[in-house]
Amino acid sequence: MTQQIYAVYGASGFGREVMPLARQQVLQEGGTPDQLLFVDDNPTSSFINGHKVVRYTELTSMKASAFYVAIAIAESPVRQKIFEHLIADGINVWQIKADNVVMLDDIKIDSGAILSPFVTITSNITIGKSFHANLYSYVAHDCQIGDFVTFAPRVMCNGNVVIKDHAYIATGAIIRQGKPGKPIVIGERAVVGMGAVVTKNVPDGTTVIGNPAAPLSKKALRR
């Protein structure tokens, strides 16, 4: 019988962090490490950390009963393109979750999430496609997170927050708790800078930095 094939798409930094989690998940599901590959569009080596690296065309030419691919690409527009390509080709978008992730009540997560070690997701939360939550991040109660959102390490997203599609929340950022019916809203394709403390809504496409977080000025960008 033909085996299933599992893969981590992206063999750079984040992909190499995800691979041990993927390996553990495959073993827990009764698979073997040789079923697990890296996929990379521009491979620099044929093996990385003990796993074969193949191009996407090589992956799809393999014989398998099913393919499961986790997308470990930080850039959300690229992640979306890969996600849509996988779906069009009939490939399963794989969710990776570390063993010590904490998940409480009434949580809905769409396909393709990568939940790194020590992530916490509490209760009454909806999360869209291909969410990345890096080390020690948390999502508190009554939050809504869109598609292709990225949390860098140690992001603190408190209750009653809405984060729209393709937002990027950088390392150590804190999003203040909103109120029922009046959440803090992080706009589509917004960027919250490293260590920023968000106390009010962030418009679509805006980058905010500092404490309290404020839009990055054009003067600062010229420095």
Side-chain angles (χ1 to χ4, degrees):
M1 182 176 177
T2 308
Q3 289 185 324
Q4 296 174 337
I5 291 178
Y6 301 86
V8 173
Y9 204 126
S12 60
F14 186 52
R16 295 196 303 272
E17 291 181 356
V18 170
M19 180 55 83
L21 308 178
R23 187 187 310 126
Q24 186 175 40
Q25 203 159 302
V26 168
L27 292 172
Q28 288 172 346
E29 292 171 6
T32 59
D34 63 349
Q35 292 174 254
L36 182 58
L37 312 167
F38 279 110
V39 177
D40 201 277
D41 295 326
N42 297 291
T44 58
S45 176
S46 57
F47 277 85
I48 293 177
N49 294 355
H51 292 277
K52 189 175 181 180
V53 184
V54 300
R55 295 179 184 272
Y56 183 72
T57 52
E58 293 177 73
L59 178 77
T60 55
S61 69
M62 295 175 177
K63 291 183 179 179
S65 58
F67 293 92
Y68 295 87
V69 178
I71 311 169
I73 304 290
E75 292 183 53
S76 67
V78 177
R79 197 153 84 232
Q80 181 176 4
K81 286 180 183 178
I82 294 170
F83 186 101
E84 291 170 352
H85 197 177
L86 293 173
I87 296 298
D89 287 346
I91 292 174
N92 300 289
V93 183
W94 189 24
Q95 176 175 295
I96 302 291
K97 184 178 75 168
D99 277 354
N100 60 1
V101 168
V102 175
M103 298 177 68
L104 302 181
D105 286 339
D106 195 14
I107 298 165
K108 297 178 179 134
I109 304 181
D110 211 327
S111 55
I114 295 178
L115 307 178
S116 295
F118 306 103
V119 164
T120 297
I121 300 174
T122 67
S123 61
N124 303 88
I125 292 163
T126 302
I127 296 174
K129 300 180 183 72
S130 198
F131 174 54
H132 284 184
N134 217 312
L135 298 160
Y136 292 98
S137 293
Y138 73 75
V139 183
H141 63 89
D142 300 294
C143 287
Q144 297 176 32
I145 296 177
D147 296 335
F148 308 103
V149 171
T150 303
F151 280 16
R154 294 189 182 276
V155 168
M156 290 170 268
C157 178
N158 292 292
N160 290 294
V161 171
V162 173
I163 301 179
K164 296 187 178 180
D165 297 352
H166 293 279
Y168 179 85
I169 318 299
T171 300
I174 302 171
I175 304 172
R176 180 179 71 86
Q177 181 169 320
K179 296 178 181 178
K182 194 176 180 183
I184 297 287
V185 178
I186 309 298
E188 186 172 342
R189 300 185 189 276
V191 175
V192 176
M194 187 180 294
V197 178
V198 177
T199 60
K200 59 185 180 181
N201 294 348
V202 178
D204 292 352
T206 300
T207 296
V208 296
I209 60 172
N211 179 8
L216 185 62
S217 68
K218 291 181 180 179
K219 182 178 179 181
L221 286 170
R222 287 196 296 268
R223 289 177 182 170

